[in-house]
Amino acid sequence: MVARETTQKKPHVAVLASPGMGHVTPLLELAKRLVVDHGFQVTFLAISTDAPPAQIQLLNSSTLPPDLHVIHLPHVDVSNLLTASTGVSVRIVLVVRQTLSYLPSVLTNMQPPIQSLIVDPFCGEALEFAAAFSIPTYLFLTTSASFTALTMYFPTLHAQVDGDYSKIAEKVLVPGCNPLLLDDLIPGVLMPEVLPLCNRIPLVKGVFINTWEELEPVTLGAIRKNPFFLGLPAPPVYPIGPLTKGNEDEPLTSTMESKKMLTWLDKQPPDSVVYVSFGSGGTLSGEQMSELAWGLELSQKRFVWVARPPSEVSASGSFFEAGYDAEGAASYLPDGFLDRTRERGLVISSWAPQVAVLSHGSVAGFVTHCGWNSVLESIAQGVGMIAWPLYAEQSMNARMLVDMGVAVWPKPAGERVVVGRGEVERVVRSVMEGEQGKAMRQKVIELQGTALKALGLGGSSNASLAGLADEWRAGGSL
Ligand SMILES: O=c1ccn([C@@H]2O[C@H](COP(=O)(O)OP(=O)(O)O[C@H]3O[C@H](CO)[C@@H](O)[C@H](O)[C@H]3O)[C@@H](O)[C@H]2O)c(=O)[nH]1
């Protein structure tokens, strides 16, 4: 879509993203849409501490539109705040907190002055900074409407059970929404650490969600119409998704391994390959990696696997380095695995050009940790999934995908913790062949169609953002 001609001054908006591709990618896509489709000027504030190489490349890309300016906020040192047990989320929070000390001067010196600030969930503390300068703010919750609804309901739930989530019986019933299984929410979602984010929602003028009406109609309907949500001091939600990076945005398609991967895919028959990847930081235990490898081998299907070193090796808190181990993961795979599968498998240990892979004609299945961006990219490319949630809200996402019929979720047998090779073989076959695979393909292609429609002219997500952009341009809620 072409930017609208306007004689008015371009509205100037700032976007602030925490480090990591899971947040930077959707916020950058939103920034691009505001610039390209709506004629805005956008300043993208990137946190440079802990930024993975893929993020730096994406933000330095020469393909960004001219009215999208990226500012890399100064590096901060959090090493004295870290302990051996500091997890990924806490580390991001610490990095963001330290970096925010630069925000007041950046925000107040922007020319022309910004009319609004959009932040991701990890940058919640920026909302108070912006409020001190009377800058209107918006939150971009980079996951599902379901997670958004739970976030809005969470303070009520927390108070009901007095912070003791073991008092909840089996399911969490968010008013008007599909029931959520407690097992999918613990650990990872129901944590007191989420409360500050929940309590900040009333501070913002609107909440963007990377979803679309046809994907989550029940939840979006509940947020808009259920008396519980109507009674909250919450701003409107704007489903504007799926915002995913495009094939042309893959920053690393020029690296050796990426090229090798795409060249290898070019040689495979259509719809024959399963792609295995656990997002920007997901790792498996050594035992689980071994079972997965055996399962892939037994399935006799073609595969391409972004195999990071096992979790025992990736030291705690090494989220950002986990994908860049030069040695690769081959040494952690079963003896002879690479030789035996040489003809039909490819293992890489660096960053994959994921959208290029998912959109390749040879790829027909995706073993994914169900990070929301991976989920959206898979649906946008019409690829059925094998759900392999690891942390955060990923089990919630996995359940939703299974319920929609676009994923199967392999489970460990009995009391085991790891998913065994037989189960891996079964699910890979079920997605890549047979009636279940066919039904899944049909369903995901239907969803792909609704996604395209939602983003197209007059589509629900397009209209949602356009309506807000018009309001902003008119000086409404800005
Ligand atoms: O080799 C790789 C690995 C990842 N990616 C990209 O990196 C992004 C990863 O995002 P996502 O799938 O959402 O995973 P995470 O980075 O793990 O995402 C975090 O943020 C998401 C959005 O808030 C949450 O849903 C997840 O649970 C949380 O872990 C996607 O765009 C992928 O295409 C690549 O391009 N190549």
Side-chain angles (χ1 to χ4, degrees), residues 20-23 25-26 121 141-143 245 250 275 277-282 306 308 319 350-355 368-375 377 391-394 397:
M21 292 296 274
H23 302 125
T25 300
L141 286 179
T142 48
T143 60
K245 62 186 151 129
E250 289 293 9
Y275 167 57
S277 176
F278 302 99
S280 40
V306 184
R308 307 261 157 74
F319 181 84
S350 66
W351 191 258
Q354 181 157 302
V355 171
T368 170
H369 74 316
C370 300
W372 193 242
N373 296 288
S374 292
V375 166
E377 287 159 9
Y391 53 93
E393 88 305 357
Q394 293 154 13
N397 302 343

Short mmCIF file of all heavy atoms in Angstrom, two decimals, residues 20-23 25-26 121 141-143 245 250 275 277-282 306 308 319 350-355 368-375 377 391-394 397, ligand 1:
data_model
loop_
_atom_site.label_atom_id
_atom_site.label_comp_id
_atom_site.label_asym_id
_atom_site.label_seq_id
_atom_site.Cartn_x
_atom_site.Cartn_y
_atom_site.Cartn_z
N GLY A 20 15.85 -8.72 21.69
CA GLY A 20 15.38 -10.08 21.32
C GLY A 20 14.43 -10.00 20.14
O GLY A 20 13.61 -9.09 20.05
N MET A 21 14.55 -10.97 19.25
CA MET A 21 13.77 -10.93 18.01
C MET A 21 12.27 -11.11 18.25
O MET A 21 11.45 -10.65 17.47
CB MET A 21 14.28 -12.01 17.06
CG MET A 21 15.67 -11.73 16.55
SD MET A 21 15.72 -10.24 15.54
CE MET A 21 15.28 -10.93 13.95
N GLY A 22 11.90 -11.80 19.33
CA GLY A 22 10.49 -12.04 19.60
C GLY A 22 9.71 -10.74 19.81
O GLY A 22 8.50 -10.70 19.57
N HIS A 23 10.40 -9.70 20.26
CA HIS A 23 9.72 -8.42 20.48
C HIS A 23 10.06 -7.42 19.38
O HIS A 23 9.19 -6.68 18.93
CB HIS A 23 10.11 -7.85 21.84
CG HIS A 23 9.79 -8.79 22.96
ND1 HIS A 23 10.70 -9.22 23.87
CD2 HIS A 23 8.64 -9.44 23.27
CE1 HIS A 23 10.13 -10.08 24.70
NE2 HIS A 23 8.89 -10.23 24.35
N THR A 25 10.82 -7.87 16.26
CA THR A 25 10.21 -8.13 14.95
C THR A 25 8.79 -7.56 14.85
O THR A 25 8.50 -6.77 13.95
CB THR A 25 10.23 -9.64 14.63
OG1 THR A 25 11.59 -10.05 14.62
CG2 THR A 25 9.58 -9.94 13.30
N PRO A 26 7.87 -7.90 15.77
CA PRO A 26 6.51 -7.35 15.60
C PRO A 26 6.45 -5.83 15.76
O PRO A 26 5.69 -5.17 15.05
CB PRO A 26 5.68 -8.05 16.67
CG PRO A 26 6.65 -8.67 17.62
CD PRO A 26 7.93 -8.88 16.87
N PRO A 121 5.89 -5.46 26.23
CA PRO A 121 5.61 -5.77 27.64
C PRO A 121 6.82 -5.64 28.56
O PRO A 121 6.67 -5.30 29.73
CB PRO A 121 5.15 -7.22 27.62
CG PRO A 121 4.81 -7.53 26.21
CD PRO A 121 5.51 -6.55 25.33
N LEU A 141 1.21 -5.85 23.16
CA LEU A 141 1.39 -7.17 23.75
C LEU A 141 1.68 -8.13 22.59
O LEU A 141 0.82 -8.34 21.74
CB LEU A 141 0.14 -7.59 24.53
CG LEU A 141 -0.05 -6.88 25.87
CD1 LEU A 141 -1.33 -7.34 26.55
CD2 LEU A 141 1.13 -7.12 26.80
N THR A 142 2.87 -8.66 22.58
CA THR A 142 3.35 -9.36 21.38
C THR A 142 2.92 -10.83 21.33
O THR A 142 3.52 -11.63 20.64
CB THR A 142 4.89 -9.27 21.31
OG1 THR A 142 5.40 -9.61 22.62
CG2 THR A 142 5.34 -7.87 20.96
N THR A 143 1.88 -11.16 22.11
CA THR A 143 1.39 -12.55 22.05
C THR A 143 -0.09 -12.54 21.65
O THR A 143 -0.54 -11.63 20.97
CB THR A 143 1.58 -13.24 23.41
OG1 THR A 143 0.85 -12.51 24.38
CG2 THR A 143 3.03 -13.28 23.83
N LYS A 245 7.65 -10.81 9.98
CA LYS A 245 8.62 -10.31 9.00
C LYS A 245 8.37 -10.98 7.65
O LYS A 245 7.85 -12.10 7.60
CB LYS A 245 10.05 -10.51 9.48
CG LYS A 245 10.47 -11.95 9.69
CD LYS A 245 11.87 -12.01 10.31
CE LYS A 245 12.00 -13.26 11.12
NZ LYS A 245 13.02 -14.16 11.02
N GLU A 250 14.55 -11.17 5.90
CA GLU A 250 15.45 -12.09 6.58
C GLU A 250 16.84 -11.50 6.55
O GLU A 250 17.46 -11.37 5.50
CB GLU A 250 15.45 -13.45 5.87
CG GLU A 250 14.16 -14.23 6.06
CD GLU A 250 13.92 -14.67 7.48
OE1 GLU A 250 14.66 -14.25 8.38
OE2 GLU A 250 12.98 -15.43 7.70
N TYR A 275 10.62 -28.76 9.33
CA TYR A 275 11.58 -27.77 9.84
C TYR A 275 11.50 -27.80 11.37
O TYR A 275 10.41 -27.75 11.95
CB TYR A 275 11.19 -26.39 9.30
CG TYR A 275 11.86 -25.19 9.95
CD1 TYR A 275 13.24 -25.06 10.01
CD2 TYR A 275 11.08 -24.15 10.47
CE1 TYR A 275 13.83 -23.95 10.59
CE2 TYR A 275 11.67 -23.03 11.05
CZ TYR A 275 13.04 -22.94 11.11
OH TYR A 275 13.63 -21.84 11.69
N SER A 277 12.78 -26.00 14.87
CA SER A 277 13.47 -24.85 15.47
C SER A 277 12.72 -24.38 16.70
O SER A 277 11.49 -24.36 16.71
CB SER A 277 13.58 -23.71 14.47
OG SER A 277 14.16 -22.58 15.09
N PHE A 278 13.47 -23.99 17.71
CA PHE A 278 12.86 -23.60 18.98
C PHE A 278 13.06 -22.12 19.29
O PHE A 278 13.35 -21.74 20.42
CB PHE A 278 13.41 -24.51 20.10
CG PHE A 278 13.14 -25.97 19.83
CD1 PHE A 278 14.12 -26.80 19.30
CD2 PHE A 278 11.88 -26.50 20.08
CE1 PHE A 278 13.86 -28.13 19.02
CE2 PHE A 278 11.61 -27.84 19.81
CZ PHE A 278 12.61 -28.66 19.28
N GLY A 279 12.94 -21.30 18.26
CA GLY A 279 12.95 -19.86 18.45
C GLY A 279 14.32 -19.28 18.72
O GLY A 279 15.34 -19.92 18.46
N SER A 280 14.32 -18.08 19.29
CA SER A 280 15.60 -17.42 19.44
C SER A 280 16.42 -17.95 20.60
O SER A 280 17.62 -17.80 20.64
CB SER A 280 15.42 -15.90 19.56
OG SER A 280 14.31 -15.61 20.36
N GLY A 281 15.78 -18.59 21.57
CA GLY A 281 16.55 -19.01 22.73
C GLY A 281 16.25 -20.41 23.25
O GLY A 281 16.85 -20.83 24.23
N GLY A 282 15.32 -21.11 22.62
CA GLY A 282 14.90 -22.40 23.16
C GLY A 282 15.96 -23.49 23.00
O GLY A 282 16.58 -23.61 21.95
N VAL A 306 17.43 -26.61 13.25
CA VAL A 306 18.32 -25.62 13.87
C VAL A 306 18.60 -26.15 15.27
O VAL A 306 17.81 -25.99 16.19
CB VAL A 306 17.65 -24.23 13.96
CG1 VAL A 306 18.63 -23.20 14.51
CG2 VAL A 306 17.11 -23.80 12.61
N ARG A 308 20.51 -26.21 18.58
CA ARG A 308 21.40 -25.49 19.50
C ARG A 308 21.99 -26.48 20.50
O ARG A 308 21.38 -27.52 20.76
CB ARG A 308 20.59 -24.44 20.27
CG ARG A 308 19.79 -23.53 19.36
CD ARG A 308 20.50 -22.20 19.13
NE ARG A 308 20.07 -21.56 17.90
CZ ARG A 308 18.89 -20.96 17.75
NH1 ARG A 308 18.05 -20.91 18.74
NH2 ARG A 308 18.60 -20.39 16.61
N PHE A 319 20.68 -16.97 27.04
CA PHE A 319 19.65 -16.86 26.01
C PHE A 319 20.18 -16.28 24.71
O PHE A 319 19.93 -16.77 23.64
CB PHE A 319 18.58 -15.94 26.59
CG PHE A 319 17.40 -15.67 25.72
CD1 PHE A 319 16.35 -16.56 25.71
CD2 PHE A 319 17.33 -14.53 24.95
CE1 PHE A 319 15.24 -16.30 24.94
CE2 PHE A 319 16.22 -14.27 24.18
CZ PHE A 319 15.16 -15.15 24.18
N SER A 350 23.34 -22.30 13.60
CA SER A 350 23.26 -20.84 13.74
C SER A 350 21.83 -20.39 13.47
O SER A 350 20.90 -21.17 13.47
CB SER A 350 24.23 -20.17 12.77
OG SER A 350 23.82 -20.42 11.46
N TRP A 351 21.67 -19.13 13.24
CA TRP A 351 20.36 -18.52 13.01
C TRP A 351 19.83 -18.92 11.63
O TRP A 351 20.55 -18.84 10.63
CB TRP A 351 20.55 -17.00 13.08
CG TRP A 351 19.29 -16.21 13.13
CD1 TRP A 351 18.72 -15.54 12.10
CD2 TRP A 351 18.47 -16.00 14.27
NE1 TRP A 351 17.59 -14.91 12.54
CE2 TRP A 351 17.41 -15.17 13.87
CE3 TRP A 351 18.52 -16.42 15.60
CZ2 TRP A 351 16.40 -14.75 14.72
CZ3 TRP A 351 17.52 -16.00 16.46
CH2 TRP A 351 16.48 -15.18 16.03
N ALA A 352 18.58 -19.34 11.57
CA ALA A 352 18.00 -19.73 10.28
C ALA A 352 17.15 -18.59 9.72
O ALA A 352 16.57 -17.84 10.49
CB ALA A 352 17.10 -20.94 10.48
N PRO A 353 17.06 -18.48 8.40
CA PRO A 353 16.16 -17.49 7.82
C PRO A 353 14.73 -18.06 7.87
O PRO A 353 14.21 -18.58 6.88
CB PRO A 353 16.68 -17.35 6.38
CG PRO A 353 17.33 -18.66 6.08
CD PRO A 353 17.80 -19.25 7.37
N GLN A 354 14.10 -17.98 9.03
CA GLN A 354 12.91 -18.79 9.30
C GLN A 354 11.74 -18.57 8.32
O GLN A 354 11.11 -19.53 7.89
CB GLN A 354 12.43 -18.55 10.74
CG GLN A 354 11.20 -19.38 11.10
CD GLN A 354 11.05 -19.57 12.58
OE1 GLN A 354 11.95 -20.09 13.23
NE2 GLN A 354 9.94 -19.17 13.13
N VAL A 355 11.47 -17.31 8.01
CA VAL A 355 10.33 -17.09 7.12
C VAL A 355 10.65 -17.63 5.72
O VAL A 355 9.78 -18.23 5.06
CB VAL A 355 9.94 -15.59 7.09
CG1 VAL A 355 8.92 -15.30 6.01
CG2 VAL A 355 9.38 -15.21 8.46
N THR A 368 7.89 -26.64 16.50
CA THR A 368 8.13 -25.29 17.03
C THR A 368 7.89 -25.21 18.53
O THR A 368 7.03 -25.91 19.06
CB THR A 368 7.22 -24.26 16.32
OG1 THR A 368 7.30 -23.00 17.00
CG2 THR A 368 5.76 -24.68 16.28
N HIS A 369 8.62 -24.29 19.18
CA HIS A 369 8.41 -24.07 20.62
C HIS A 369 7.16 -23.23 20.87
O HIS A 369 6.83 -22.96 22.01
CB HIS A 369 9.65 -23.42 21.23
CG HIS A 369 9.82 -21.96 20.89
ND1 HIS A 369 9.63 -21.44 19.63
CD2 HIS A 369 10.15 -20.88 21.67
CE1 HIS A 369 9.84 -20.14 19.64
NE2 HIS A 369 10.17 -19.78 20.87
N CYS A 370 6.49 -22.84 19.79
CA CYS A 370 5.23 -22.08 19.88
C CYS A 370 5.41 -20.68 20.44
O CYS A 370 4.49 -20.13 21.07
CB CYS A 370 4.17 -22.83 20.68
SG CYS A 370 3.73 -24.41 19.97
N GLY A 371 6.59 -20.08 20.26
CA GLY A 371 6.72 -18.64 20.46
C GLY A 371 5.70 -18.01 19.50
O GLY A 371 5.49 -18.51 18.39
N TRP A 372 5.07 -16.93 19.93
CA TRP A 372 3.93 -16.42 19.16
C TRP A 372 4.33 -16.00 17.74
O TRP A 372 3.56 -16.16 16.79
CB TRP A 372 3.26 -15.27 19.92
CG TRP A 372 1.93 -14.88 19.36
CD1 TRP A 372 1.58 -13.69 18.83
CD2 TRP A 372 0.75 -15.72 19.28
NE1 TRP A 372 0.26 -13.70 18.42
CE2 TRP A 372 -0.27 -14.93 18.68
CE3 TRP A 372 0.46 -17.03 19.63
CZ2 TRP A 372 -1.56 -15.42 18.44
CZ3 TRP A 372 -0.83 -17.53 19.39
CH2 TRP A 372 -1.81 -16.74 18.81
N ASN A 373 5.55 -15.45 17.59
CA ASN A 373 5.96 -15.07 16.23
C ASN A 373 6.10 -16.28 15.34
O ASN A 373 5.71 -16.27 14.17
CB ASN A 373 7.29 -14.30 16.27
CG ASN A 373 7.14 -12.99 17.00
OD1 ASN A 373 6.54 -12.05 16.50
ND2 ASN A 373 7.67 -12.94 18.22
N SER A 374 6.68 -17.35 15.89
CA SER A 374 6.83 -18.58 15.09
C SER A 374 5.46 -19.12 14.70
O SER A 374 5.24 -19.57 13.57
CB SER A 374 7.61 -19.64 15.87
OG SER A 374 8.94 -19.21 16.04
N VAL A 375 4.52 -19.08 15.65
CA VAL A 375 3.16 -19.54 15.36
C VAL A 375 2.56 -18.75 14.21
O VAL A 375 2.03 -19.30 13.24
CB VAL A 375 2.28 -19.38 16.64
CG1 VAL A 375 0.81 -19.51 16.32
CG2 VAL A 375 2.70 -20.38 17.71
N GLU A 377 4.09 -16.93 11.95
CA GLU A 377 4.82 -17.14 10.69
C GLU A 377 4.40 -18.45 10.05
O GLU A 377 4.24 -18.55 8.84
CB GLU A 377 6.33 -17.11 10.96
CG GLU A 377 6.85 -15.70 11.27
CD GLU A 377 8.19 -15.67 12.01
OE1 GLU A 377 8.83 -16.73 12.15
OE2 GLU A 377 8.58 -14.58 12.48
N TYR A 391 8.72 -22.75 27.41
CA TYR A 391 8.63 -21.82 28.56
C TYR A 391 7.65 -20.70 28.24
O TYR A 391 6.94 -20.76 27.23
CB TYR A 391 10.02 -21.26 28.92
CG TYR A 391 10.76 -20.62 27.77
CD1 TYR A 391 10.66 -19.27 27.53
CD2 TYR A 391 11.54 -21.39 26.92
CE1 TYR A 391 11.33 -18.69 26.46
CE2 TYR A 391 12.21 -20.82 25.85
CZ TYR A 391 12.10 -19.46 25.63
OH TYR A 391 12.75 -18.90 24.57
N ALA A 392 7.59 -19.72 29.14
CA ALA A 392 6.67 -18.57 29.01
C ALA A 392 5.24 -19.04 28.72
O ALA A 392 4.78 -20.02 29.29
CB ALA A 392 7.20 -17.60 27.96
N GLU A 393 4.56 -18.37 27.77
CA GLU A 393 3.14 -18.70 27.53
C GLU A 393 2.99 -19.74 26.42
O GLU A 393 1.92 -19.94 25.87
CB GLU A 393 2.37 -17.40 27.21
CG GLU A 393 2.30 -16.94 25.78
CD GLU A 393 3.61 -16.74 25.05
OE1 GLU A 393 4.72 -16.90 25.62
OE2 GLU A 393 3.55 -16.43 23.85
N GLN A 394 4.09 -20.42 26.09
CA GLN A 394 4.08 -21.28 24.90
C GLN A 394 3.11 -22.47 25.00
O GLN A 394 2.55 -22.91 24.00
CB GLN A 394 5.52 -21.74 24.61
CG GLN A 394 6.39 -20.56 24.19
CD GLN A 394 7.87 -20.74 24.47
OE1 GLN A 394 8.32 -21.84 24.77
NE2 GLN A 394 8.63 -19.67 24.40
N ASN A 397 -0.23 -21.30 23.94
CA ASN A 397 -0.28 -21.19 22.48
C ASN A 397 -0.44 -22.57 21.85
O ASN A 397 -1.23 -22.77 20.92
CB ASN A 397 1.00 -20.54 21.94
CG ASN A 397 1.25 -19.16 22.51
OD1 ASN A 397 0.33 -18.56 23.05
ND2 ASN A 397 2.47 -18.67 22.42
O1 LIG B 1 16.93 -19.49 13.85
C1 LIG B 1 16.03 -18.67 14.01
C2 LIG B 1 15.28 -18.56 15.20
C3 LIG B 1 14.29 -17.62 15.29
N1 LIG B 1 14.05 -16.78 14.25
C4 LIG B 1 13.00 -15.74 14.37
O2 LIG B 1 12.97 -15.22 15.70
C5 LIG B 1 11.64 -14.95 16.09
C6 LIG B 1 11.39 -15.73 17.35
O3 LIG B 1 10.20 -15.32 17.94
P1 LIG B 1 9.24 -16.33 18.70
O4 LIG B 1 8.89 -17.45 17.84
O5 LIG B 1 8.09 -15.54 19.22
O6 LIG B 1 10.11 -16.92 19.83
P2 LIG B 1 10.91 -16.23 21.07
O7 LIG B 1 11.99 -15.40 20.61
O8 LIG B 1 11.20 -17.34 21.98
O9 LIG B 1 9.75 -15.28 21.69
C7 LIG B 1 9.53 -14.70 22.96
O10 LIG B 1 8.54 -13.71 22.68
C8 LIG B 1 7.32 -14.20 22.10
C9 LIG B 1 6.45 -13.01 21.78
O11 LIG B 1 6.17 -12.28 22.92
C10 LIG B 1 6.65 -15.18 23.06
O12 LIG B 1 5.50 -15.73 22.45
C11 LIG B 1 7.62 -16.31 23.41
O13 LIG B 1 7.05 -17.19 24.35
C12 LIG B 1 8.93 -15.72 23.96
O14 LIG B 1 9.86 -16.74 24.22
C13 LIG B 1 10.74 -15.37 14.95
O15 LIG B 1 10.38 -14.23 14.21
C14 LIG B 1 11.63 -16.29 14.10
O16 LIG B 1 11.35 -16.22 12.72
C15 LIG B 1 14.74 -16.88 13.08
O17 LIG B 1 14.50 -16.13 12.12
N2 LIG B 1 15.72 -17.82 12.99
#
